[in-house]
Amino acid sequence: MKSVKKLPLTDQCHHWTHLGEVPWDLQKYWQQRYTIFPTYDDGIYMTEDAWYGVTPEPVAIYLVYDFVGFISPRKRTVIDMFAGVGGNAISLAMATEEDGYTPRFDKVIAIELDAATLACAQNNAAIYGVESKITWVLGDSFKFIELLTQSPSELEEDLRVDLATTAIFASPPWGGPGYKTDEIFDLSTMEPYNLVTLHEAYKAMDHALYLPRTSDLRQIAKLVPDNVKIDVVQYCVEGASKAMVAYIPAAVDGPVGDTADQSMS
């Protein structure tokens, strides 16, 4: 698996400027475009599916602030497992130390399975001036983690990161907007990847999971032993909850279990 350079925008990448251009089922999302990306008019591109899952910029900024507070200062690499059109990867790449200048992460790796979506992400990151600060990977993020943890020699050198100093951020697909009808969302039925599948893949490292706002907290709590703390935060925009993020420490008995980091979480 290799990193990729600049991908071309395709006819699946859109920058709509008039409501009449927008498919009817996306019009309410397009009308919120300045909340999602305040820089939309500067040339933000999105695929149609991305409108359902992109993290609004105000939420991305705050959750990255919380994410940095959750992980140890020695976590210098972060992997965005589902980069989408770049909302979270951009905020991760823009994160700084307390001085406001030094980048918080030495490396940000953003993985996306769909080429058109990744092309949009690269375009959008360029608008924020951080395209070159992100290592872009076109491929299956689960395969990437499998190689990283079991066969790192099969990754190009630039992608062979130290698991002990790496954290994961994952904003997986939720199976479409149907989750909104559930008073309590059953994470075992989330498609195409349920909660246990995600946690099992990531448990060797500190990881944050971006989940539906009505997710079942009991299911999240069962991921770790009773003496391990999981932080769960609801993120709101204009008084309405958009999502929750569960911040989950690495398993002590995982391949890179870190007792010191456990005690800090």
Side-chain angles (χ1 to χ4, degrees):
M1 190 170 289
K2 300 179 180 179
S3 59
V4 296
K5 302 301 181 184
K6 184 72 171 178
L7 295 175
L9 294 170
T10 71
D11 58 5
Q12 295 177 290
C13 306
H14 306 285
H15 176 77
W16 294 311
T17 58
H18 303 287
L19 184 63
E21 301 175 291
V22 185
W24 69 269
D25 56 334
L26 297 178
Q27 290 183 358
K28 71 173 183 178
Y29 297 99
W30 182 82
Q31 289 173 332
Q32 300 170 19
R33 62 196 181 281
Y34 297 121
T35 298
I36 296 172
F37 277 111
T39 58
Y40 183 84
D41 288 345
D42 292 338
I44 293 293
Y45 273 78
M46 306 266 282
T47 60
E48 292 191 15
D49 287 345
W51 287 97
Y52 294 113
V54 63
T55 304
E57 184 173 305
V59 173
I61 291 171
Y62 277 103
L63 68 84
V64 167
Y65 176 84
D66 289 340
F67 182 64
V68 168
F70 159 68
I71 61 177
S72 164
R74 69 190 193 87
K75 303 290 184 178
R76 303 302 304 177
T77 297
V78 60
I79 305 172
D80 183 353
M81 302 297 291
F82 301 94
V85 294
N88 296 310
I90 290 169
S91 288
L92 289 165
M94 294 179 69
T96 62
E97 300 285 6
E98 292 183 359
D99 62 13
Y101 298 98
T102 306
R104 171 59 182 82
F105 296 106
D106 298 331
K107 182 183 287 292
V108 176
I109 298 174
I111 308 172
E112 172 54 45
L113 186 59
D114 180 69
T117 304
L118 188 60
C120 291
Q122 291 175 325
N123 171 83
N124 300 340
I127 290 172
Y128 285 83
V130 295
E131 180 189 10
S132 63
K133 297 181 180 180
I134 301 171
T135 301
W136 305 96
V137 178
L138 178 62
D140 185 331
S141 62
F142 289 95
K143 181 63 175 178
F144 178 89
I145 288 296
E146 179 184 338
L147 293 175
L148 183 62
T149 56
Q150 300 179 23
S151 306
S153 62
E154 296 185 35
L155 294 169
E156 66 177 12
E157 186 174 355
D158 191 39
L159 299 177
R160 298 175 202 167
V161 298
D162 178 9
L163 272 66
T165 58
T166 299
I168 285 175
F169 183 86
S171 177
W174 299 340
Y179 70 89
K180 294 181 179 179
T181 62
D182 293 343
E183 184 176 351
I184 299 178
F185 183 66
D186 184 354
L187 292 165
S188 69
T189 64
M190 188 165 64
E191 297 179 352
Y193 317 109
N194 65 25
L195 178 66
V196 172
T197 298
L198 296 165
H199 177 64
E200 286 298 312
Y202 309 151
K203 66 181 182 180
M205 290 167 273
D206 292 344
H207 54 285
L209 300 179
Y210 187 90
L211 301 168
R213 63 181 183 273
T214 58
S215 296
D216 191 333
L217 295 176
R218 295 165 298 182
Q219 293 175 322
I220 298 172
K222 289 179 180 179
L223 296 175
V224 300
D226 290 341
N227 63 337
V228 175
K229 176 184 176 184
I230 294 177
D231 291 327
V232 177
V233 181
Q234 288 273 359
Y235 291 91
C236 302
V237 175
E238 298 179 352
S241 176
K242 293 297 183 181
M244 70 167 60
V245 176
Y247 297 93
I248 305 172
V252 173
D253 59 352
V256 291
D258 188 331
T259 305
D261 285 350
Q262 287 280 324
S263 65
M264 294 177 62
S265 300

